[in-house]
Amino acid sequence: MYRAILPEGQIQCERYEHTENGVELYDEDDEFVAFVPYANLHALEDFHPEEERSIM
């Protein structure tokens, strides 16, 4: 699973594809989720929700 970090928040996806102007994000059913222009993309990282730890 991947996480696209944007100025407004984040979008989780199963896979992504680079295009000329940005990245296309797809879910686990291979359905299109979002297009993120490179100008708005702060980071694209490998993400494992089961490894996320909450801070108490």
Side-chain angles (χ1 to χ4, degrees):
M1 181 167 265
Y2 297 94
R3 174 168 51 192
I5 308 296
L6 312 170
E8 304 83 23
Q10 61 186 2
I11 302 172
Q12 295 178 9
C13 64
E14 189 64 32
R15 70 176 189 87
Y16 64 91
E17 290 184 12
H18 286 278
T19 67
E20 185 176 329
N21 297 312
V23 291
E24 294 177 348
L25 309 176
Y26 297 88
D27 67 11
E28 60 276 350
D29 296 325
D30 211 32
E31 292 189 26
F32 179 78
V33 174
F35 173 78
V36 180
Y38 289 127
N40 294 343
L41 184 64
H42 284 241
L44 189 59
E45 61 186 20
D46 198 4
F47 172 66
H48 302 280
E50 64 276 358
E51 294 177 8
E52 286 286 303
R53 298 180 188 177
S54 61
I55 299 173
M56 298 186 139

